[in-house]
Amino acid sequence: FYRFLFQCMKADGTKYLDLDTAIETWNSLFLSRCGYIREWCDFLRSHWKKSVGSDMWDQFIVFVGQFPDWRLFDERNSAFPT
């Protein structure tokens, strides 16, 4: 379902999804399942000015599956990764 959404939502003839559309979709799909979705979307709004490609779209679901709440592992004063 998730990977199918990318193909349905991108404009015809393009390979990318508009950033605002991707952010709205991620918020809708993951707000209750992903503890850092707001931080992720805020980061994209402030630092990522490009469209979202299928690689980024596909890798996000993999990351969420492996780390539903990465803040559990976030220790500011420790070496990376913890």
Side-chain angles (χ1 to χ4, degrees):
F1 172 77
Y2 177 81
R3 290 190 174 116
F4 175 74
L5 280 177
F6 182 86
Q7 297 301 321
C8 290
M9 292 187 313
K10 68 181 181 68
D12 289 338
T14 65
K15 296 180 181 181
Y16 301 97
L17 186 59
D18 178 65
L19 180 61
D20 291 331
T21 303
I23 288 173
E24 289 175 23
T25 305
W26 279 325
N27 271 318
S28 297
L29 293 174
F30 296 107
L31 192 58
S32 64
R33 293 183 222 152
C34 178
Y36 51 85
I37 192 66
R38 286 192 176 113
E39 289 91 343
W40 169 246
C41 292
D42 288 346
F43 171 80
L44 291 176
R45 283 188 188 103
S46 62
H47 292 78
W48 189 263
K49 304 300 179 192
K50 303 174 187 179
S51 301
V52 174
S54 62
D55 288 341
M56 183 176 182
W57 183 263
D58 290 344
Q59 288 304 307
F60 183 73
I61 190 80
V62 171
F63 186 80
V64 169
Q66 291 178 353
F67 304 100
D69 194 348
W70 60 264
R71 293 176 298 181
L72 298 173
F73 306 102
D74 186 25
E75 294 182 22
R76 300 286 177 199
N77 297 322
S78 66
F80 183 80
T82 56

Tab-separated table of all heavy atoms in Angstrom, residues 4 14 16 20 23 27 29-30 34 41 44 54 59 67 72-73 80:
chain	number	residue	atom	x	y	z
A	4	PHE	N	2.712	1.803	-3.263
A	4	PHE	CA	1.711	2.103	-4.286
A	4	PHE	C	1.306	3.577	-4.226
A	4	PHE	O	1.063	4.199	-5.260
A	4	PHE	CB	0.499	1.189	-4.097
A	4	PHE	CG	-0.639	1.475	-5.007
A	4	PHE	CD1	-0.586	1.122	-6.341
A	4	PHE	CD2	-1.779	2.112	-4.531
A	4	PHE	CE1	-1.659	1.392	-7.195
A	4	PHE	CE2	-2.843	2.381	-5.363
A	4	PHE	CZ	-2.773	2.019	-6.696
A	14	THR	N	6.367	12.463	-14.114
A	14	THR	CA	7.466	12.824	-13.229
A	14	THR	C	7.951	11.603	-12.463
A	14	THR	O	7.261	10.598	-12.376
A	14	THR	CB	7.048	13.909	-12.203
A	14	THR	OG1	6.058	13.360	-11.333
A	14	THR	CG2	6.518	15.136	-12.896
A	16	TYR	N	9.207	12.172	-9.295
A	16	TYR	CA	9.294	12.677	-7.931
A	16	TYR	C	7.941	13.081	-7.396
A	16	TYR	O	7.023	13.374	-8.137
A	16	TYR	CB	10.253	13.880	-7.888
A	16	TYR	CG	11.625	13.531	-8.367
A	16	TYR	CD1	12.023	13.793	-9.671
A	16	TYR	CD2	12.528	12.911	-7.519
A	16	TYR	CE1	13.284	13.452	-10.122
A	16	TYR	CE2	13.795	12.558	-7.957
A	16	TYR	CZ	14.172	12.836	-9.261
A	16	TYR	OH	15.420	12.487	-9.689
A	20	ASP	N	5.622	18.956	-0.239
A	20	ASP	CA	4.449	19.211	0.608
A	20	ASP	C	3.491	18.022	0.624
A	20	ASP	O	2.941	17.672	1.669
A	20	ASP	CB	3.712	20.469	0.153
A	20	ASP	CG	4.513	21.737	0.415
A	20	ASP	OD1	5.313	21.737	1.372
A	20	ASP	OD2	4.333	22.713	-0.330
A	23	ILE	N	5.066	15.256	2.799
A	23	ILE	CA	4.969	15.586	4.226
A	23	ILE	C	3.548	15.370	4.731
A	23	ILE	O	3.344	14.786	5.798
A	23	ILE	CB	5.454	17.025	4.477
A	23	ILE	CG1	6.977	17.080	4.326
A	23	ILE	CG2	5.025	17.514	5.852
A	23	ILE	CD1	7.560	18.480	4.394
A	27	ASN	N	2.608	12.542	7.541
A	27	ASN	CA	1.888	12.913	8.762
A	27	ASN	C	0.611	12.101	8.919
A	27	ASN	O	0.294	11.632	10.005
A	27	ASN	CB	1.557	14.406	8.769
A	27	ASN	CG	2.653	15.233	9.373
A	27	ASN	OD1	3.227	14.876	10.380
A	27	ASN	ND2	2.948	16.351	8.747
A	29	LEU	N	-0.149	9.123	7.639
A	29	LEU	CA	0.090	7.695	7.806
A	29	LEU	C	0.790	7.323	9.105
A	29	LEU	O	0.538	6.254	9.663
A	29	LEU	CB	0.928	7.159	6.637
A	29	LEU	CG	0.282	7.158	5.263
A	29	LEU	CD1	1.306	6.732	4.222
A	29	LEU	CD2	-0.929	6.247	5.240
A	30	PHE	N	1.684	8.188	9.590
A	30	PHE	CA	2.583	7.778	10.667
A	30	PHE	C	2.437	8.549	11.970
A	30	PHE	O	3.173	8.279	12.909
A	30	PHE	CB	4.040	7.883	10.192
A	30	PHE	CG	4.360	6.951	9.073
A	30	PHE	CD1	4.543	7.415	7.788
A	30	PHE	CD2	4.457	5.588	9.305
A	30	PHE	CE1	4.829	6.550	6.754
A	30	PHE	CE2	4.749	4.715	8.278
A	30	PHE	CZ	4.925	5.196	6.997
A	34	CYS	N	4.694	6.589	14.607
A	34	CYS	CA	6.102	6.980	14.525
A	34	CYS	C	6.339	8.147	15.462
A	34	CYS	O	5.796	9.226	15.265
A	34	CYS	CB	6.430	7.350	13.088
A	34	CYS	SG	8.112	7.909	12.832
A	41	CYS	N	9.368	15.811	9.615
A	41	CYS	CA	8.720	16.755	8.701
A	41	CYS	C	9.238	18.172	8.907
A	41	CYS	O	9.432	18.910	7.936
A	41	CYS	CB	7.207	16.687	8.866
A	41	CYS	SG	6.520	15.119	8.299
A	44	LEU	N	12.581	18.363	7.179
A	44	LEU	CA	12.430	18.479	5.726
A	44	LEU	C	12.017	19.886	5.313
A	44	LEU	O	12.523	20.434	4.341
A	44	LEU	CB	11.407	17.465	5.214
A	44	LEU	CG	11.819	16.006	5.276
A	44	LEU	CD1	10.673	15.117	4.831
A	44	LEU	CD2	13.053	15.752	4.431
A	54	SER	N	11.563	8.217	-5.257
A	54	SER	CA	11.092	6.905	-4.808
A	54	SER	C	12.080	6.253	-3.840
A	54	SER	O	11.665	5.530	-2.929
A	54	SER	CB	10.828	5.984	-5.995
A	54	SER	OG	12.015	5.767	-6.727
A	59	GLN	N	12.893	4.134	1.456
A	59	GLN	CA	13.780	3.959	2.595
A	59	GLN	C	13.175	4.475	3.894
A	59	GLN	O	13.499	3.982	4.967
A	59	GLN	CB	15.130	4.629	2.340
A	59	GLN	CG	15.966	3.891	1.318
A	59	GLN	CD	16.188	2.440	1.714
A	59	GLN	OE1	16.633	2.142	2.816
A	59	GLN	NE2	15.868	1.521	0.819
A	67	PHE	N	13.127	1.414	13.365
A	67	PHE	CA	13.252	2.349	14.489
A	67	PHE	C	11.965	3.164	14.644
A	67	PHE	O	11.905	4.314	14.232
A	67	PHE	CB	14.431	3.317	14.267
A	67	PHE	CG	15.733	2.624	14.048
A	67	PHE	CD1	16.239	2.457	12.774
A	67	PHE	CD2	16.438	2.116	15.124
A	67	PHE	CE1	17.442	1.816	12.567
A	67	PHE	CE2	17.648	1.471	14.928
A	67	PHE	CZ	18.149	1.316	13.646
A	72	LEU	N	14.361	6.896	21.679
A	72	LEU	CA	14.720	5.996	22.774
A	72	LEU	C	16.223	5.763	22.836
A	72	LEU	O	16.775	5.436	23.871
A	72	LEU	CB	13.999	4.655	22.620
A	72	LEU	CG	12.476	4.693	22.662
A	72	LEU	CD1	11.917	3.316	22.322
A	72	LEU	CD2	11.983	5.162	24.015
A	73	PHE	N	16.889	5.922	21.694
A	73	PHE	CA	18.323	5.683	21.595
A	73	PHE	C	19.134	6.964	21.579
A	73	PHE	O	20.345	6.937	21.453
A	73	PHE	CB	18.634	4.887	20.325
A	73	PHE	CG	17.843	3.630	20.214
A	73	PHE	CD1	16.738	3.557	19.376
A	73	PHE	CD2	18.184	2.515	20.952
A	73	PHE	CE1	15.998	2.393	19.276
A	73	PHE	CE2	17.449	1.353	20.859
A	73	PHE	CZ	16.354	1.299	20.023
A	80	PHE	N	28.280	8.385	18.854
A	80	PHE	CA	27.310	7.925	17.872
A	80	PHE	C	27.827	6.667	17.205
A	80	PHE	O	28.989	6.607	16.859
A	80	PHE	CB	27.073	9.010	16.832
A	80	PHE	CG	26.023	8.638	15.830
A	80	PHE	CD1	24.690	8.755	16.145
A	80	PHE	CD2	26.372	8.143	14.595
A	80	PHE	CE1	23.718	8.405	15.233
A	80	PHE	CE2	25.405	7.776	13.695
A	80	PHE	CZ	24.083	7.913	14.003
